[in-house]
Amino acid sequence: SEAKVASTEKEEESEDWWQNAQAALGMTQKDEEPEQAKLEEEQPVEEEKTIKEEETPAEEEEIVATSEALEEEEEKQVEQKEEEEVKAEESEEAPAEEQQEERPPPEAPGMEDANLIVRVDIEPKRQKVSKGAKAIENLMSRPDREVLEAMAQEGWEVEVVDESKGLYMLSLPPVLYEVMGTSVSIPAPRFLTKLRDSRGRTSKFKERLEGDLVLQNGEGIFTLQLGFPFRTKLCISAAGWTRAKVGSEGDEILSSNFVEVGIQLPKVPGLTNIMEYFVKNYGTQSTQECTDALARAAARLPETPLQSIEDTMKEFLKPLTDPEGKEKKLVESRPGRPPT
C-alpha cells in the first residue's frame, strides 16, 4: 500500500510537472505572439516610412517643376499683355493716314470709254540736296501749297480752287515726243489736283505730301503723226490720273508716281506699243523733273525767317544801291578810292 501511495504521488507529481511545463510553454507562446505581432506591425510602418522618405524628393521635384512652369506661364502672360499695351499705344499715336489702307483711285472722266489701259508704277526718283537734311526739313515744314509750288517747273501754272480742301488746278507745258518714227504731241494738260498731308506715313520712304492729279482736258489730247508706211495724222482722246508722293530720306528728296491712262485707240498696227512707250517714258521723266525741282527749291530756301527778310531787302534795295550793276567794280584789291 505504501508503494501504491508512493507511485500515485509520483504520477501526480509528473502530471503536475507536465501541466506546469505546458502552462509555462503556453505563457511563453502567448508572450511571444504579441511581440511578434508588434514586430510585424512595426515593420510595415518602417517600410511605409522608408517608402515615404523615398517618394518625398520626387514629389518635391514635381512640385518645384510645376511652380516654375506656372511662374513662366505668368511671366509670358505679363509680357504678352505689355506687348499688346505697347501696340495699342502705338496704334493710337499713329496718324490716321497710316492706319488706313491705300486709298481707292479717283474718278477720271472718260476712263470707261477707253479700250487700252496703261498703268505705270514709277519707282521713287532721288535727288540730293546740296545743303543737306536741314534744308529738306525746312522745305517740308512749309504748307502744302508752297511744297506744290516748289515742285512746279518753268511753264507750270498753279491755280487755287479751294485751298481749305486741298484743291488746285495744275497746268503743265505742252509736250512733243518722237517715238519709233512717230511724233506724239499734247497741248498743255490740265490736272485737278487734290493734296493730302501725309507726314508720319512711311511707304518706300518718309512721306510729306500725297496728291491725286486727274486729267481734265483729255478729249482729242493726243496728236500722232505717223511716218510709216505712209504719213497719217491721228487725234486720240484719253482719260487718266496719277497719284504722286513726295518725301525725303536723309539728304535726298524722293518722289514716286502711279499712273493710269485710258486711251481710245484706233485699230492701227503698232499703235499700242507706241502709246505704252510714250506713257511710261513721259511719266518717268516728269517724276524725275519734279524731284529735281524740289531739290533746287530746298537749296534756295532761306534757313531762318530773318535770313528770308534779309534776302528780300537785298533784292529790293539792289536797284537803288547798284543801279548799273557796277558794285563789284568799285572794290579794288588795293586800298584807296578807285579812279573815276
Side-chain angles (χ1 to χ4, degrees):
S1 62
E2 289 179 1
K4 283 182 182 180
V5 170
S7 63
T8 304
E9 287 176 358
K10 284 181 182 180
E11 287 175 3
E12 287 176 357
E13 285 176 4
S14 62
E15 286 177 2
D16 291 339
W17 177 83
W18 176 250
Q19 288 176 358
N20 290 335
Q22 283 182 341
L25 288 171
M27 287 175 66
T28 306
Q29 285 177 357
K30 284 179 184 178
D31 291 339
E32 288 177 355
E33 282 174 3
E35 287 179 4
Q36 189 175 359
K38 190 175 180 181
L39 288 171
E40 287 175 357
E41 286 175 1
E42 286 177 357
Q43 189 174 359
V45 171
E46 288 177 1
E47 288 177 0
E48 286 176 5
K49 245 185 223 181
T50 308
I51 291 167
K52 283 182 180 178
E53 286 174 1
E54 290 175 356
E55 289 177 354
T56 300
E59 288 176 357
E60 286 179 358
E61 289 176 4
E62 187 177 352
I63 291 168
V64 169
T66 306
S67 62
E68 287 178 354
L70 289 171
E71 286 176 3
E72 288 179 2
E73 185 66 25
E74 286 177 2
E75 287 176 2
K76 286 180 181 178
Q77 289 177 357
V78 170
E79 289 176 0
Q80 188 176 358
K81 190 176 180 181
E82 288 176 354
E83 288 176 2
E84 288 174 357
E85 288 175 356
V86 170
K87 286 180 181 178
E89 288 176 3
E90 288 176 353
S91 63
E92 286 175 3
E93 293 175 0
E97 287 285 342
E98 191 174 359
Q99 294 178 21
Q100 293 177 359
E101 295 180 356
E102 191 71 22
R103 291 177 179 274
E107 292 184 7
M111 188 68 80
E112 65 278 0
D113 298 325
N115 57 4
L116 173 66
I117 304 293
V118 182
R119 297 182 180 90
V120 188
D121 191 0
I122 299 168
E123 288 296 312
K125 302 301 177 184
R126 299 170 174 266
Q127 185 57 258
K128 190 172 183 178
V129 177
S130 58
K131 291 187 178 181
K134 287 186 177 180
I136 295 174
E137 289 177 9
N138 187 16
L139 172 63
M140 297 305 175
S141 66
R142 304 298 175 102
D144 294 353
R145 178 182 175 181
E146 291 188 26
V147 177
L148 176 63
E149 289 173 344
M151 186 171 59
Q153 305 159 50
E154 185 179 351
W156 288 38
E157 292 181 10
V158 179
E159 179 186 347
V160 178
V161 177
D162 189 340
E163 192 164 4
S164 64
K165 296 180 179 179
L167 291 173
Y168 303 87
M169 187 63 71
L170 191 61
S171 300
L172 275 61
V175 176
L176 176 62
Y177 264 78
E178 293 291 334
V179 181
M180 303 178 187
T182 300
S183 64
V184 181
S185 62
I186 58 176
R190 300 176 72 247
F191 295 93
L192 181 62
T193 304
K194 166 68 176 176
L195 296 182
R196 288 181 291 272
D197 189 330
S198 58
R199 273 178 284 203
R201 183 175 179 178
T202 303
S203 51
K204 295 179 180 178
F205 51 88
K206 185 176 71 175
E207 293 184 21
R208 162 62 184 87
L209 193 65
E210 180 183 80
D212 288 344
L213 289 70
V214 180
L215 183 64
Q216 300 297 300
N217 57 335
E219 186 67 31
I221 192 169
F222 290 116
T223 300
L224 276 70
Q225 190 73 45
L226 303 177
F228 182 83
F230 46 83
R231 294 186 65 82
T232 305
K233 185 177 181 180
L234 299 173
C235 288
I236 299 173
S237 296
W241 64 277
T242 177
R243 177 163 292 164
K245 296 179 180 180
V246 172
S248 62
E249 193 175 87
D251 60 353
E252 292 181 322
I253 294 280
L254 288 91
S255 61
S256 65
N257 256 318
F258 180 83
V259 181
E260 184 175 277
V261 179
I263 305 171
Q264 299 177 32
L265 199 67
K267 293 182 180 180
V268 176
L271 204 55
T272 298
N273 293 335
I274 291 173
M275 295 310 298
E276 287 178 345
Y277 181 85
F278 168 77
V279 172
K280 290 176 182 178
N281 278 269
Y282 179 58
T284 303
Q285 183 178 338
S286 298
T287 304
Q288 185 63 64
E289 289 174 354
C290 290
T291 309
D292 296 344
L294 285 166
R296 290 193 298 269
R300 286 196 306 265
L301 283 176
E303 295 180 4
T304 63
L306 181 60
Q307 185 180 346
S308 177
I309 295 170
E310 288 176 355
D311 292 345
T312 304
M313 291 301 295
K314 283 180 182 178
E315 290 295 323
F316 179 74
L317 296 173
K318 188 174 180 180
L320 300 175
T321 56
D322 188 21
E324 297 181 4
K326 297 180 180 179
E327 185 178 355
K328 290 183 180 179
K329 294 181 180 179
L330 298 177
V331 180
E332 294 289 337
S333 59
R334 57 183 174 80
R337 181 178 295 178
T340 56

